[in-house]
């Protein structure tokens, strides 16, 4: 199969049937930037849905000015249209660190369970509201403004979602298998991406991405349908008991005469290095995930990119999500054997040459080359995402673990997932796809160096983690953390 003729610059054309997403001065179809479908069944899947869901949506975004659909290219051009789409997508990442601080405070004070119920409700309400949001032709400029506010709320909830889900799994897990246990919430992105791709594939094949039916109501279906997943997730979270590690820490705080400080203050004062290096170590996984999903979906279907059909790209997205899920579990299991840091370092090392090879492979232009490029990218993401569910929580003390782990994770998300795709669009439009490869290689190098600066945490006692002694003497016995602490 030969590749269609294309330029060596990366941009998004006005593909009919794509979801509308643009500046407030343009007519916006409020479904464009959707949050990745979150799988509430596991402790945290809604999280990347807003992250992971937003992925599929921003990749299908296009500018539709209030005066004429064709005038967008005349006024802004395809690259500017892509930038506006990913700009709306990036709004959620700005609010994530704020959510990490606020919900981290409540998670460290009230408990992991209660906080996760709140984040799920905020996420669910915001996502369903996007699906119900009237068109700009009905409420005018309020449509894009409300969309941005809802995206902000999604990111705000996601900021507190990941740490709580990871802590629930990690604090319940036996030390020898904590990596595996903590990997189950980490399946949210792969499941979310697969569900998003499958849902839009079905809608695309049944309604057509160029039909008025799709532009009018078809794109709304995944958003409104997410209410079912939210209800399932809410039921499960209400049934979960608080973790023994948190209960014990709360009991100790209740009988202690020392005043309780704000979790955010304690984490920043006691472990600023872990927060900054932990965020930098996760930058690569976010950059690769959102480039591999949102950006490559756009690049794969645009005329200036690869020119593949949207059903083809969506189908390959499902395949890539399967590799992502398998890789997440495999890397988590491996981290229980050889260490979290070793697995993350290995993934960063592989990511550097892969960054430089990715676009030459994609630019071969065949379906197989796109499948290899996407699946390989998501496998590298999985290499970090599997162990990080245990790695970041193991770095911090129990009394501010929710806040510390959440801040580190969402700092990485802000730079890697929020900034990198925007920079990639600009670099691709001006310098071509090789520049994006260099960008990814640079991000991977930063993550590699940051990971070298962090300690190995495999087998550590969560009841005493965050102290120098605990990091020097990891516990490898089979008993639970809560039992050892007693």
């Amino acid at each position: 199969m030969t590749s269609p003729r294309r330029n060596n610059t990366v941009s998004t054309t006005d593909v009919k049937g794509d979801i509308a997403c643009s500046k407030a001065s343009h007519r916006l179809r409020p479904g464009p930037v959707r949050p990745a479908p979150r799988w509430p069944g596991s402790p945290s899947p809604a999280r990347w849905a807003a992250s992971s869901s937003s992925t599929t949506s921003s990749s299908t975004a296009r500018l539709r000015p209030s005066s004429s659909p064709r005038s967008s290219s005349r006024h802004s051009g395809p690259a500017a249209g892509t930038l506006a789409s990913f700009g709306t997508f990036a709004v959620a990442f700005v609010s994530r660190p704020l959510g990490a601080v606020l919900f981290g405070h409540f998670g460290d004070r009230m408990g992991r369970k209660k906080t996760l119920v709140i984040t799920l409700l905020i996420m669910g309400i915001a996502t369903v509201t996007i699906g119900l949001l009237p068109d700009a032709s009905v409420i005018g400029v309020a449509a894009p403004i409300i969309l941005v506010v809802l995206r902000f709320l999604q990111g705000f909830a996601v900021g507190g979602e990941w740490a709580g889900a990871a802590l629930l799994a990690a604090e319940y897990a036996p030390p020898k298998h904590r990596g595996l246990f903590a990997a189950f919430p980490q399946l949210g992105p792969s499941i979310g991406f697969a569900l998003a791709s499958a849902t839009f594939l079905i809608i695309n094949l049944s309604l057509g991405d160029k039909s008025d039916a799709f532009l009018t109501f078809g794109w709304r279906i995944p958003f409104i349908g997410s209410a079912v997943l939210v209800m399932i997730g809410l039921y499960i979270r209400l049934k979960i008991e608080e973790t023994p590690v948190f209960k014990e820490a709360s009991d100790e705080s209740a009988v202690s005469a020392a005043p309780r400080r704000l979790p955010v203050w304690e984490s920043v004062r006691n472990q600023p290095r872990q927060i900054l290096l932990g965020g930098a170590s996760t930058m690569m996984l976010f950059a690769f995930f959102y480039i591999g999903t949102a950006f490559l979906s756009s690049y794969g279907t645009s005329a200036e990119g690869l020119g593949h059909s949207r059903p083809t790209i969506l189908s390959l997205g499902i395949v890539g999500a399967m590799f992502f899920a398998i890789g997440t579990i495999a890397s988590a299991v491996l981290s229980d054997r050889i260490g979290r840091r070793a697995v993350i370092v290995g993934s960063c090392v592989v990511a550097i040459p892969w960054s430089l090879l990715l676009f030459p492979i994609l630019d071969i232009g065949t379906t197989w080359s796109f499948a290899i490029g996407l699946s390989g990218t998501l496998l590298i993401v999985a290499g970090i995402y599997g162990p990080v569910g245990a790695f970041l929580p193991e770095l911090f003390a129990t009394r501010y673990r929710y806040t510390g782990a959440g801040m580190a994770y969402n700092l990485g998300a802000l730079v890697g997932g929020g900034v990198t795709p925007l920079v990639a669009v600009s670099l691709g439009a001006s310098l071509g796809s090789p520049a994006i490869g260099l960008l990814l290689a640079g991000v991977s190098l930063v993550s590699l160096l940051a990971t070298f600066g962090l300690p190995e945490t495999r087998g550590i006692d969560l009841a005493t983690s965050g102290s120098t002694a605990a990091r020097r003497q990891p516990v490898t016995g089979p008993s639970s953390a809560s039992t050892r602490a007693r």
Side-chain angles (χ1 to χ4, degrees):
M1 175 178 175
T2 59
S3 61
R5 189 175 72 85
R6 59 184 178 274
N7 300 325
N8 195 33
T9 58
V10 182
S11 60
T12 303
T13 55
D14 186 18
V15 180
K16 297 178 181 178
D18 287 352
I19 304 173
C21 177
S22 70
K23 299 176 182 178
S25 60
H26 292 74
R27 177 186 175 190
L28 177 139
R29 297 267 183 191
V33 180
R34 70 174 173 283
R38 306 207 148 215
W39 184 264
S42 65
S44 105
R47 144 201 75 191
W48 277 73
S51 310
S52 182
S53 338
S54 316
T55 299
T56 309
S57 60
S58 32
S59 67
T60 56
R62 70 186 178 105
L63 292 173
R64 296 191 57 164
S66 54
S67 57
S68 166
R70 292 183 177 85
S71 64
S72 61
S73 59
R74 183 171 67 247
H75 293 292
S76 56
T82 303
L83 196 60
S85 171
F86 280 94
T88 307
F89 166 76
V91 167
F93 287 94
V94 176
S95 60
R96 286 175 72 149
L98 300 177
V101 171
L102 179 65
F103 293 115
H105 173 85
F106 291 115
D108 286 321
R109 289 291 179 84
M110 298 191 319
R112 293 42 166 137
K113 170 185 172 179
K114 293 178 182 178
T115 305
L116 282 173
V117 170
I118 296 172
T119 58
L120 179 60
L121 286 175
I122 295 175
M123 170 60 62
I125 292 172
T127 302
V128 173
T129 303
I130 289 178
L132 299 174
L133 186 62
D135 195 290
S137 63
V138 178
I139 61 175
V141 71
I145 293 175
I146 294 173
L147 175 64
V148 170
V149 171
L150 292 172
R151 286 289 297 142
F152 185 91
L153 288 175
Q154 284 181 325
F156 189 64
V158 176
E161 172 80 14
W162 179 85
L167 264 58
L168 268 181
E171 290 181 347
Y172 264 118
K176 280 189 174 181
H177 304 291
R178 190 179 294 133
L180 174 60
F181 276 58
F184 287 105
Q186 304 295 83
L187 292 175
S190 55
I191 295 174
F193 184 47
L195 287 177
S197 299
T199 301
F200 274 82
L201 177 61
I202 293 172
I203 294 174
N204 189 288
L205 294 176
S206 58
L207 298 179
D209 63 357
K210 302 179 182 180
S211 68
D212 289 336
F214 176 79
L215 292 176
T216 303
F217 68 86
W219 66 266
R220 300 177 183 270
I221 295 175
F223 293 90
I224 299 173
S226 68
V228 178
L229 296 179
V230 171
M231 296 305 296
I232 296 173
L234 185 61
Y235 174 80
I236 293 175
R237 290 185 178 185
L238 289 173
K239 295 292 184 182
I240 295 176
E241 294 292 332
E242 191 54 78
T243 68
V245 174
F246 177 79
K247 286 181 178 179
E248 182 172 339
S250 298
D251 293 340
E252 291 176 357
S253 297
V255 299
S256 174
R260 298 184 66 183
R261 296 181 176 87
L262 292 176
V264 62
W265 168 248
E266 281 204 275
S267 59
V268 171
R269 187 189 66 172
N270 296 333
Q271 295 188 268
R273 186 168 175 272
Q274 283 80 357
I275 293 175
L276 294 176
L277 292 180
S281 70
T282 60
M283 277 171 46
M284 188 276 277
L285 84 83
F286 286 104
F288 267 60
F289 178 78
Y290 288 106
I291 291 294
T293 53
F295 186 84
L296 289 190
S297 294
S298 174
Y299 185 63
T301 56
S302 68
E304 288 80 7
L306 302 176
H308 295 306
S309 68
R310 188 160 302 284
T312 297
I313 298 301
L314 291 172
S315 299
L316 293 178
I318 299 173
V319 175
M322 294 173 59
F323 281 98
F324 186 15
I326 295 171
T328 298
I329 295 296
S331 63
V333 172
L334 185 62
S335 77
D336 281 329
R337 292 177 176 271
I338 67 173
R340 327 285 186 220
R341 193 175 74 160
V343 176
I344 294 174
V345 165
S347 298
C348 291
V349 169
V350 173
I352 295 174
W354 179 258
S355 300
L356 305 177
L357 294 173
L358 175 59
F359 281 92
I361 292 174
L362 293 172
D363 288 343
I364 294 173
T366 66
T367 301
W368 278 106
S369 66
F370 188 88
I372 292 171
L374 176 61
S375 298
T377 300
L378 293 181
L379 271 176
I380 292 175
V381 175
I384 293 184
Y385 204 61
V388 83
F391 185 56
L392 290 183
E394 288 171 338
L395 288 172
F396 296 94
T398 303
R399 64 183 182 276
Y400 52 80
R401 180 174 294 134
Y402 201 126
T403 302
M407 288 174 64
Y409 183 83
N410 287 292
L411 282 176
L414 175 61
V415 179
V419 176
T420 303
L422 293 177
V423 176
V425 171
S426 299
L427 285 178
S430 58
L431 301 176
S433 57
I436 302 176
L438 290 174
L439 172 65
L440 291 176
V443 172
S444 302
L445 179 60
V446 171
S447 291
L448 174 63
L449 296 177
T451 306
F452 275 129
L454 292 169
E456 178 55 65
T457 62
R458 177 175 64 101
I460 201 169
D461 186 345
L462 287 180
T464 57
S465 65
S467 68
T468 304
R471 288 196 295 272
R472 279 205 211 105
Q473 298 176 345
V475 177
T476 56
S479 60
S480 70
S482 60
T483 301
R484 263 193 318 283
R486 289 194 291 270

